[in-house]
Amino acid sequence: MRLFLPSGMLLVLALLLAGCADLSALNTVLEQIQPTPNATAAASALQAAAQAGSPTATPLPTPAGGGGGTPLLFVSNRDPAGTTDIYQINPDGSGLSRLTNDPASDSDPRWSPSRRRIAFVSTRTGTSQIYLMSTGEYQPMQLTDHAAGAVSPSWAPDGNQIVFTEPGPDNDAILFVDVASGEVARRSLELTGVAHPAWSPDGGVIAFSALVSEQSDNRDVFSLELASDVQVNLTNRPGRDDRPDWSPDGRRLVFDTDRDGDENIYVMQANGTLQTPLTI
């Protein structure tokens, strides 16, 4: 079972990663993230429209505002047709809006570092491929046309490349696509089940998860140093360690794991030490 966290929990985890130990600060954040009356009304109207089976309008995003900060991206199948599309919402719960509207499945949205573009995955050509759309226009443009498909995009810190993974008959690979030209570079790994790459804030390391045996429930989090091509198993213990992501300063990684019997979120140093639960 996959663990999905509400935006409030994500903000609290962000404070924890930043080293915030002030409980009054956490209480202030929790108060600020309560849905506003406008957001509650918008959500109720959207739910009523879905129950009535009314047609969905062309996406018309609401500008960021109210809560301040970058809108949160998420995936929902709330459309009466049951397809998954990309939505955004402001941190205070206002500005709920739909960004894609296609019968295919749209998923894995990722803001570019400049917050001017969104990368996401769509099956609208029959296989999973990476698409881009610019904020303000929201017109999807296909970036990859990869025979094996392309999933789990992660932006380079300079916004010029996106990394994704490719399954292989024996070993998997990490691929880098140039956003401007669409050209792809490939690095083969002596691993299988490679998934969820995450580019470090300094641009020097890719974190990812991979199988360490033929059993699908035994995964670890790895790092790949791009300059030296050195690959390290960071978690290296039984269980399923997956979906790594970096702290803003690049000093720590969060990941989800079932090592305690349930799905939980852990944090560790970038070298794999001090693996500590954040939820348990």
Side-chain angles (χ1 to χ4, degrees):
M1 180 181 70
R2 179 66 59 198
L3 178 67
F4 292 96
L5 295 178
S7 59
M9 180 63 75
L10 291 175
L11 289 176
V12 172
L13 292 180
L15 283 175
L16 290 171
L17 285 176
C20 177
D22 188 344
L23 292 180
S24 63
L26 291 178
N27 289 333
T28 299
V29 170
L30 291 174
E31 291 173 359
Q32 292 176 345
I33 62 176
Q34 297 301 317
T36 63
N38 288 340
T40 303
S44 299
L46 188 60
Q47 182 179 13
Q51 292 174 346
S54 58
T56 304
T58 300
L60 186 61
T62 302
T70 303
L72 306 175
L73 299 173
F74 66 98
V75 176
S76 177
N77 64 349
R78 63 186 65 195
D79 185 275
T83 58
T84 57
D85 283 290
I86 311 298
Y87 291 76
Q88 73 175 18
I89 192 168
N90 291 325
D92 68 349
S94 67
L96 175 65
S97 52
R98 182 176 183 174
L99 304 185
T100 65
N101 186 358
D102 193 273
S105 173
D106 296 334
S107 61
D108 283 344
R110 297 289 185 272
W111 282 113
S112 68
S114 67
R115 300 300 190 267
R116 295 178 180 177
R117 289 184 291 186
I118 297 169
F120 67 98
V121 174
S122 180
T123 60
R124 50 188 79 192
T125 63
T127 59
S128 295
Q129 301 293 341
I130 297 173
Y131 286 71
L132 298 178
M133 56 184 172
S134 300
T135 57
E137 299 177 359
Y138 300 96
Q139 297 297 321
M141 297 181 59
Q142 186 173 346
L143 176 63
T144 64
D145 187 13
H146 201 59
V151 296
S152 300
S154 177
W155 290 86
D158 61 10
N160 292 329
Q161 294 184 84
I162 289 175
V163 63
F164 63 99
T165 61
E166 174 193 61
D170 298 312
N171 297 315
D172 293 355
I174 287 180
L175 289 86
F176 304 84
V177 57
D178 184 272
V179 173
S181 67
E183 295 182 0
V184 176
R186 185 177 186 275
R187 288 202 184 192
S188 182
L189 303 173
E190 294 183 0
L191 292 166
T192 59
V194 175
H196 308 298
W199 215 314
S200 66
D202 65 4
V205 181
I206 303 292
F208 60 93
S209 67
L211 295 174
V212 291
S213 73
E214 294 181 357
Q215 300 175 353
S216 61
D217 60 349
N218 192 357
R219 300 182 67 86
D220 280 325
V221 173
F222 292 77
S223 66
L224 174 66
E225 187 174 338
L226 298 179
S228 64
D229 216 30
V230 171
Q231 178 182 294
V232 178
N233 186 332
L234 297 176
T235 53
N236 198 25
R237 59 178 298 163
R240 187 197 53 76
D241 301 331
D242 203 2
R243 295 182 179 273
D245 204 358
W246 296 88
S247 63
D249 61 7
R251 297 171 58 187
R252 286 175 282 186
L253 282 159
V254 291
F255 60 98
D256 69 51
T257 179
D258 65 358
R259 63 177 64 179
D260 302 308
D262 296 313
E263 294 276 356
N264 284 294
I265 295 177
Y266 270 60
V267 63
M268 63 181 171
Q269 298 297 307
N271 63 1
T273 61
L274 301 179
Q275 298 179 30
T276 307
L278 293 179
T279 63
I280 197 164

